[in-house]
Amino acid sequence: MTEHSDAMDLEEHVFESHDARKIAASLKRSAEHSDRRKAEPFQSAMSMLNFYINRAGKNLPARQKIVLEDAKDELRAAFGRPKED
């Protein structure tokens, strides 16, 4: 799975972190500083996270998938968005 996209520049190995807050902070930074994103920063960051989760699919360890799902909530919080139920 590639961690490079034409949409945003991401920190290397960002999705391998075991800290949901660090993943969200990194995605937020990348989205806010990208000149190549096509949407608002929140939408771009969330899209990249979902893209990675979907692409990694069955190869993603269950524990890491939980971290990445938690990163969605952290990303919402970082952008001041309400948490989804």
Side-chain angles (χ1 to χ4, degrees):
M1 165 68 212
T2 180
E3 291 186 12
H4 180 77
S5 167
D6 287 337
M8 285 186 346
D9 291 323
L10 301 175
E11 290 181 31
E12 285 190 39
H13 309 290
V14 64
F15 297 113
E16 295 173 13
S17 173
H18 298 293
D19 185 334
R21 188 168 287 159
K22 282 185 181 180
I23 294 169
S26 176
L27 288 171
K28 184 175 190 275
R29 259 190 319 276
S30 294
E32 290 177 335
H33 292 99
S34 176
D35 294 328
R36 296 180 295 168
R37 65 181 156 74
K38 297 176 183 173
E40 294 300 313
F42 172 75
Q43 186 178 352
S44 293
M46 188 63 76
S47 292
M48 290 305 297
L49 182 53
N50 282 318
F51 177 80
Y52 182 80
I53 292 169
N54 292 337
R55 283 296 192 159
K58 294 178 182 175
N59 295 328
L60 191 61
R63 186 176 195 143
Q64 189 62 17
K65 184 168 184 174
I66 291 169
V67 171
L68 294 172
E69 290 293 336
D70 289 345
K72 290 181 184 182
D73 290 333
E74 293 293 340
L75 196 54
R76 287 183 189 96
F79 277 99
R81 301 286 180 107
K83 182 178 177 180
E84 289 187 356
D85 293 325

